PDB file of all heavy atoms in Angstrom:
ATOM      1  N   LEU N1049      91.614  85.031 104.470  1.00  0.00           N
ATOM      2  CA  LEU N1049      91.344  85.897 105.606  1.00  0.00           C
ATOM      3  C   LEU N1049      90.263  85.336 106.460  1.00  0.00           C
ATOM      4  O   LEU N1049      90.289  85.407 107.696  1.00  0.00           O
ATOM      5  CB  LEU N1049      91.100  87.335 105.102  1.00  0.00           C
ATOM      6  CG  LEU N1049      92.188  87.965 104.401  1.00  0.00           C
ATOM      7  CD1 LEU N1049      91.807  89.323 103.780  1.00  0.00           C
ATOM      8  CD2 LEU N1049      93.464  88.162 105.258  1.00  0.00           C
ATOM      9  N   LYS N1050      89.290  84.707 105.834  1.00  0.00           N
ATOM     10  CA  LYS N1050      88.156  84.088 106.659  1.00  0.00           C
ATOM     11  C   LYS N1050      88.673  82.901 107.447  1.00  0.00           C
ATOM     12  O   LYS N1050      88.282  82.730 108.617  1.00  0.00           O
ATOM     13  CB  LYS N1050      87.018  83.659 105.695  1.00  0.00           C
ATOM     14  CG  LYS N1050      85.805  83.136 106.386  1.00  0.00           C
ATOM     15  CD  LYS N1050      84.823  82.853 105.301  1.00  0.00           C
ATOM     16  CE  LYS N1050      83.739  81.864 105.761  1.00  0.00           C
ATOM     17  NZ  LYS N1050      82.771  81.562 104.671  1.00  0.00           N
ATOM     18  N   LYS N1051      89.603  82.126 106.896  1.00  0.00           N
ATOM     19  CA  LYS N1051      90.127  80.952 107.560  1.00  0.00           C
ATOM     20  C   LYS N1051      91.009  81.254 108.734  1.00  0.00           C
ATOM     21  O   LYS N1051      90.945  80.669 109.808  1.00  0.00           O
ATOM     22  CB  LYS N1051      90.978  80.149 106.552  1.00  0.00           C
ATOM     23  CG  LYS N1051      91.657  78.908 107.200  1.00  0.00           C
ATOM     24  CD  LYS N1051      92.551  78.243 106.163  1.00  0.00           C
ATOM     25  CE  LYS N1051      93.302  77.117 106.840  1.00  0.00           C
ATOM     26  NZ  LYS N1051      94.682  77.396 107.163  1.00  0.00           N
ATOM     27  N   GLY N1052      91.767  82.359 108.609  1.00  0.00           N
ATOM     28  CA  GLY N1052      92.669  82.775 109.713  1.00  0.00           C
ATOM     29  C   GLY N1052      93.645  81.710 110.094  1.00  0.00           C
ATOM     30  O   GLY N1052      94.251  81.025 109.259  1.00  0.00           O
ATOM     31  N   ASP N1053      93.771  81.427 111.342  1.00  0.00           N
ATOM     32  CA  ASP N1053      94.739  80.459 111.854  1.00  0.00           C
ATOM     33  C   ASP N1053      94.101  79.112 112.296  1.00  0.00           C
ATOM     34  O   ASP N1053      94.602  78.388 113.073  1.00  0.00           O
ATOM     35  CB  ASP N1053      95.640  81.009 112.994  1.00  0.00           C
ATOM     36  CG  ASP N1053      94.897  81.179 114.307  1.00  0.00           C
ATOM     37  OD1 ASP N1053      93.604  81.184 114.258  1.00  0.00           O
ATOM     38  OD2 ASP N1053      95.478  81.293 115.311  1.00  0.00           O
ATOM     39  N   ARG N1054      92.942  78.923 111.634  1.00  0.00           N
ATOM     40  CA  ARG N1054      92.221  77.635 111.998  1.00  0.00           C
ATOM     41  C   ARG N1054      92.661  76.529 111.062  1.00  0.00           C
ATOM     42  O   ARG N1054      93.080  76.732 109.918  1.00  0.00           O
ATOM     43  CB  ARG N1054      90.747  77.834 111.901  1.00  0.00           C
ATOM     44  CG  ARG N1054      90.181  78.724 112.934  1.00  0.00           C
ATOM     45  CD  ARG N1054      88.646  78.836 112.857  1.00  0.00           C
ATOM     46  NE  ARG N1054      88.158  79.426 111.633  1.00  0.00           N
ATOM     47  CZ  ARG N1054      88.149  80.735 111.326  1.00  0.00           C
ATOM     48  NH1 ARG N1054      88.643  81.562 112.206  1.00  0.00           N
ATOM     49  NH2 ARG N1054      87.665  81.159 110.128  1.00  0.00           N
ATOM     50  N   CYS N1055      92.506  75.287 111.560  1.00  0.00           N
ATOM     51  CA  CYS N1055      92.783  74.077 110.746  1.00  0.00           C
ATOM     52  C   CYS N1055      91.382  73.581 110.278  1.00  0.00           C
ATOM     53  O   CYS N1055      90.395  73.788 110.859  1.00  0.00           O
ATOM     54  CB  CYS N1055      93.384  72.996 111.579  1.00  0.00           C
ATOM     55  SG  CYS N1055      95.053  73.394 112.242  1.00  0.00           S
ATOM     56  N   ASP N1056      91.438  72.834 109.056  1.00  0.00           N
ATOM     57  CA  ASP N1056      90.216  72.230 108.704  1.00  0.00           C
ATOM     58  C   ASP N1056      90.195  70.851 109.361  1.00  0.00           C
ATOM     59  O   ASP N1056      90.963  69.936 109.018  1.00  0.00           O
ATOM     60  CB  ASP N1056      90.278  72.047 107.174  1.00  0.00           C
ATOM     61  CG  ASP N1056      89.043  71.316 106.622  1.00  0.00           C
ATOM     62  OD1 ASP N1056      88.221  70.915 107.406  1.00  0.00           O
ATOM     63  OD2 ASP N1056      88.936  71.221 105.339  1.00  0.00           O
ATOM     64  N   GLU N1057      89.299  70.705 110.335  1.00  0.00           N
ATOM     65  CA  GLU N1057      89.207  69.515 111.128  1.00  0.00           C
ATOM     66  C   GLU N1057      88.854  68.289 110.273  1.00  0.00           C
ATOM     67  O   GLU N1057      89.067  67.135 110.670  1.00  0.00           O
ATOM     68  CB  GLU N1057      88.215  69.708 112.261  1.00  0.00           C
ATOM     69  CG  GLU N1057      88.468  70.842 113.105  1.00  0.00           C
ATOM     70  CD  GLU N1057      89.796  70.723 113.862  1.00  0.00           C
ATOM     71  OE1 GLU N1057      90.192  69.614 114.159  1.00  0.00           O
ATOM     72  OE2 GLU N1057      90.412  71.805 114.138  1.00  0.00           O
ATOM     73  N   ASN N1058      88.343  68.497 109.069  1.00  0.00           N
ATOM     74  CA  ASN N1058      87.812  67.400 108.241  1.00  0.00           C
ATOM     75  C   ASN N1058      88.893  66.908 107.246  1.00  0.00           C
ATOM     76  O   ASN N1058      88.656  65.908 106.580  1.00  0.00           O
ATOM     77  CB  ASN N1058      86.582  67.783 107.494  1.00  0.00           C
ATOM     78  CG  ASN N1058      85.433  68.102 108.330  1.00  0.00           C
ATOM     79  OD1 ASN N1058      85.170  67.432 109.314  1.00  0.00           O
ATOM     80  ND2 ASN N1058      84.684  69.140 108.043  1.00  0.00           N
ATOM     81  N   ASP N1059      90.037  67.553 107.268  1.00  0.00           N
ATOM     82  CA  ASP N1059      91.036  67.194 106.273  1.00  0.00           C
ATOM     83  C   ASP N1059      91.845  65.980 106.940  1.00  0.00           C
ATOM     84  O   ASP N1059      92.572  66.181 107.837  1.00  0.00           O
ATOM     85  CB  ASP N1059      91.998  68.399 106.089  1.00  0.00           C
ATOM     86  CG  ASP N1059      92.923  68.098 104.850  1.00  0.00           C
ATOM     87  OD1 ASP N1059      93.261  66.976 104.718  1.00  0.00           O
ATOM     88  OD2 ASP N1059      93.213  69.132 104.173  1.00  0.00           O
ATOM     89  N   VAL N1060      91.598  64.844 106.402  1.00  0.00           N
ATOM     90  CA  VAL N1060      92.189  63.597 106.951  1.00  0.00           C
ATOM     91  C   VAL N1060      93.712  63.575 106.815  1.00  0.00           C
ATOM     92  O   VAL N1060      94.355  62.844 107.559  1.00  0.00           O
ATOM     93  CB  VAL N1060      91.632  62.319 106.260  1.00  0.00           C
ATOM     94  CG1 VAL N1060      90.105  62.221 106.615  1.00  0.00           C
ATOM     95  CG2 VAL N1060      91.851  62.308 104.812  1.00  0.00           C
ATOM     96  N   ARG N1061      94.297  64.399 105.893  1.00  0.00           N
ATOM     97  CA  ARG N1061      95.777  64.387 105.759  1.00  0.00           C
ATOM     98  C   ARG N1061      96.443  64.831 107.048  1.00  0.00           C
ATOM     99  O   ARG N1061      97.587  64.626 107.329  1.00  0.00           O
ATOM    100  CB  ARG N1061      96.171  65.309 104.569  1.00  0.00           C
ATOM    101  CG  ARG N1061      95.718  64.754 103.254  1.00  0.00           C
ATOM    102  CD  ARG N1061      96.104  65.699 102.189  1.00  0.00           C
ATOM    103  NE  ARG N1061      95.393  66.989 102.342  1.00  0.00           N
ATOM    104  CZ  ARG N1061      95.675  68.037 101.651  1.00  0.00           C
ATOM    105  NH1 ARG N1061      96.584  67.992 100.760  1.00  0.00           N
ATOM    106  NH2 ARG N1061      94.936  69.134 101.863  1.00  0.00           N
ATOM    107  N   PHE N1062      95.700  65.719 107.781  1.00  0.00           N
ATOM    108  CA  PHE N1062      96.314  66.425 108.952  1.00  0.00           C
ATOM    109  C   PHE N1062      95.653  66.065 110.312  1.00  0.00           C
ATOM    110  O   PHE N1062      95.772  66.776 111.207  1.00  0.00           O
ATOM    111  CB  PHE N1062      96.468  67.868 108.695  1.00  0.00           C
ATOM    112  CG  PHE N1062      97.171  68.171 107.435  1.00  0.00           C
ATOM    113  CD1 PHE N1062      96.609  68.407 106.275  1.00  0.00           C
ATOM    114  CD2 PHE N1062      98.599  68.065 107.473  1.00  0.00           C
ATOM    115  CE1 PHE N1062      97.335  68.684 105.096  1.00  0.00           C
ATOM    116  CE2 PHE N1062      99.343  68.377 106.340  1.00  0.00           C
ATOM    117  CZ  PHE N1062      98.715  68.612 105.132  1.00  0.00           C
ATOM    118  N   SER N1063      94.921  64.963 110.329  1.00  0.00           N
ATOM    119  CA  SER N1063      94.308  64.572 111.581  1.00  0.00           C
ATOM    120  C   SER N1063      95.392  64.173 112.565  1.00  0.00           C
ATOM    121  O   SER N1063      96.314  63.444 112.155  1.00  0.00           O
ATOM    122  CB  SER N1063      93.320  63.412 111.361  1.00  0.00           C
ATOM    123  OG  SER N1063      92.270  63.826 110.563  1.00  0.00           O
ATOM    124  N   ARG N1064      95.248  64.539 113.784  1.00  0.00           N
ATOM    125  CA  ARG N1064      96.286  64.178 114.742  1.00  0.00           C
ATOM    126  C   ARG N1064      95.655  63.438 115.924  1.00  0.00           C
ATOM    127  O   ARG N1064      94.658  63.551 116.265  1.00  0.00           O
ATOM    128  CB  ARG N1064      96.949  65.439 115.236  1.00  0.00           C
ATOM    129  CG  ARG N1064      97.772  66.096 114.266  1.00  0.00           C
ATOM    130  CD  ARG N1064      98.549  67.254 114.760  1.00  0.00           C
ATOM    131  NE  ARG N1064      99.248  67.780 113.628  1.00  0.00           N
ATOM    132  CZ  ARG N1064      99.959  68.905 113.728  1.00  0.00           C
ATOM    133  NH1 ARG N1064     100.032  69.596 114.822  1.00  0.00           N
ATOM    134  NH2 ARG N1064     100.621  69.330 112.711  1.00  0.00           N
TER     135      ARG N1064
END
Side-chain angles (χ1 to χ4, degrees):
L1049 295 173
K1050 184 175 161 183
K1051 177 184 176 260
D1053 71 344
R1054 292 184 298 280
C1055 296
D1056 181 355
E1057 303 299 328
N1058 298 319
D1059 194 326
V1060 295
R1061 295 177 295 170
F1062 300 99
S1063 297
R1064 292 184 181 175

